[in-house]
Structures are given as C-alpha cells and as structure tokens.
Amino acid sequence: GAVVSQHPSRVICKSGTSVKIECRSLDFQATTMFWYRQFPKQSLMLMATSNEGSKATYEQGVEKDKFLINHASLTLSTLTVTSAHPEDSSFYICSARRERVLGTDTQYFGPGTRLTVL
Amino acid sequence: AQRVTQPEKLLSVFKGAPVELKCNYSYSGSPELFWYVQYSRQRLQLLLRHISRESIKGFTADLNKGETSFHLKKPFAQEEDSAMYYCAPGDNYGQNFVFGPGTRLSVLP
C-alpha cells in the first residue's frame, strides 16, 4: 500500500527558533499534500493544502508567514514553523493524495510529528 | 459553515454486539463522505467512503442526505475494532477539509 513518512517524529525546540517538518510520499507521486494540526483530545484541523510547483492554499485563520509550506517535488512537502512559540506546540500530520486514473483519489496519512516548544 | 458532529466521544460495547457510530454533517454542496480509523499507535487511515459502497472489515455506512447523516455500523463488533473513528466530508478528489471530533470505540471482551 501507499506509504507517507514524516520526519522528525518528534521535536523539542526553544521559543523563537524555526522548525522544519518533512512529509514524503514513498511509493507514489503526490501533486497535492495536506497539512493538519491536532490538539490533544481534539480532531484534525486542516491548515493548508500544499500544491507541487505552486503556492500553498491556507485555511482561514492560518498564518501563511508563520507556517511556511514548500512543495518542491512530487514526493516532498515541508512545513516550517517559523519563530515557534509554546502555543505552536501540537501534533502536526501530513497526508498525500494519491491520484487515480480510474476510481477515486485517496489520502494517505503520515504518522505525525509532535512539536514541543519550550 | 462546514461542520461535522459525532455525538459520542466514547462508545463501549461488548464483543459480538452491534455497534453504530453516529455522524451528522453540515456541508455545502454534495459532499462525498468518508470514515477514517486510527488504531492504537498507528496512523490515520481510510476505512470506507460512501461512493465505493463497500463493506470494509464488516463495517458499512449509509448516507442519508435528508438527515445529513453518515452513520457507521457493524452487526457484530470485534475486539480488534477498538480504535478512534473519524467521520469526514470531502470531495471526489479524496480531499477532506473537515474532520469530526472522533468517537473512541472500545469493544470489551
């Protein structure tokens, strides 16, 4: 089956630093990837849609200058949390859409990255 | 506004009992409906979607457009069904913009 990886799985950083999270589709190409955020005991919240070769589309209320997304290749999207603060601490999950010529597309999720900002 | 409600945060049933996880949605247009499952220490994965009209691991879900519901059902629950279940409207491109709050299903021996 399709596999999506995320790196790192967890990261602890100091307030004010920037953190980059990678999302890779390992065995398929993904023109579209998604970034979600999940607070403890809450559901996933879509942050942005990452489009290969073009700018990401951010959901309302998500600061694009705070959460920089780069989708430079068909297998890699990165999310950079700039000048991180404790309130940015969360579980970040990416997904990649596997497009089908026949049938419907399917999202495959990464395992998530736990970010803790001290 | 797009919204998904799953009224039960936790649902406990005994093995072999029927189970129904409720989902109601408020969504513009005619969304495709999905159920995702997350087993302990595993990533989120697609369980089933309405358009496929298939039964996965014994689960089925019927879309009721009148009631805007997409309840997930299984006639005989198994212990391995214990997991977190999320209902999510989306589009035909497999894109989910909104996830429900999730229901934790616990199947007791």
Side-chain angles (χ1 to χ4, degrees), chain A residues 3-5 32 34 36 38 41-44 46 49 59 91 97 104-107 109-111, chain B residues 34 36 38 43-46 49 51-52 86 91-102:
Chain A
V3 178
V4 175
S5 70
T32 306
F34 306 93
Y36 296 86
Q38 187 176 31
K41 300 190 178 182
Q42 294 189 30
S43 188
L44 286 77
L46 179 65
T49 302
E59 294 301 300
F91 195 57
R97 186 170 75 198
T104 52
D105 299 346
T106 300
Q107 276 198 75
F109 287 82
Chain B
F34 300 75
Y36 287 88
Q38 188 170 27
R43 67 189 68 193
L44 196 67
Q45 58 184 290
L46 178 66
R49 73 183 90 196
I51 196 171
S52 300
Y86 295 95
D91 61 21
N92 291 332
Y93 299 101
Q95 190 160 318
N96 302 101
F97 295 99
V98 180
F99 280 78

Side-chain angles (χ1 to χ4, degrees), chain A residues 77-88:
Chain A
S77 175
T78 60
L79 169 68
T80 301
V81 183
T82 62
S83 187
H85 287 92
E87 57 265 29
D88 298 324

Side-chain angles (χ1 to χ4, degrees), chain A residues 28-88:
Chain A
F28 66 98
Q29 293 183 332
T31 56
T32 306
M33 293 185 175
F34 306 93
W35 286 97
Y36 296 86
R37 185 173 181 177
Q38 187 176 31
F39 290 102
K41 300 190 178 182
Q42 294 189 30
S43 188
L44 286 77
M45 182 192 77
L46 179 65
M47 298 174 65
T49 302
S50 172
N51 305 297
E52 188 269 335
S54 64
K55 292 182 179 180
T57 305
Y58 290 83
E59 294 301 300
Q60 191 173 8
V62 179
E63 299 177 59
K64 61 180 181 181
D65 295 330
K66 173 76 171 176
F67 299 99
L68 299 178
I69 292 173
N70 184 22
H71 194 152
S73 78
L74 288 172
T75 59
L76 173 64
S77 175
T78 60
L79 169 68
T80 301
V81 183
T82 62
S83 187
H85 287 92
E87 57 265 29
D88 298 324

Side-chain angles (χ1 to χ4, degrees), chain B residues 17-89:
Chain B
V19 63
E20 181 180 52
L21 288 79
K22 292 185 169 59
C23 170
N24 287 88
Y25 64 93
S26 172
Y27 203 85
S28 59
S30 298
E32 182 55 56
L33 271 298
F34 300 75
W35 275 99
Y36 287 88
V37 61
Q38 188 170 27
Y39 300 102
S40 180
R41 300 181 186 277
Q42 294 188 28
R43 67 189 68 193
L44 196 67
Q45 58 184 290
L46 178 66
L47 177 64
L48 57 79
R49 73 183 90 196
H50 166 251
I51 196 171
S52 300
R53 297 189 182 278
E54 54 193 349
S55 173
I56 304 296
K57 299 185 178 182
F59 284 97
T60 59
D62 292 322
L63 176 61
N64 186 322
K65 292 186 177 180
E67 295 180 359
T68 59
S69 68
F70 190 55
H71 303 327
L72 183 68
K73 300 177 184 179
K74 185 170 182 176
F76 308 103
Q78 303 299 315
E79 289 182 69
E80 55 265 30
D81 296 328
S82 296
M84 195 74 180
Y85 292 81
Y86 295 95
C87 176

Side-chain angles (χ1 to χ4, degrees), chain B residues 4-25:
Chain B
V4 182
T5 57
Q6 293 179 248
E8 304 112 342
K9 282 188 176 181
L10 174 64
L11 184 62
S12 295
V13 300
F14 285 102
K15 176 183 174 181
V19 63
E20 181 180 52
L21 288 79
K22 292 185 169 59
C23 170
N24 287 88
Y25 64 93

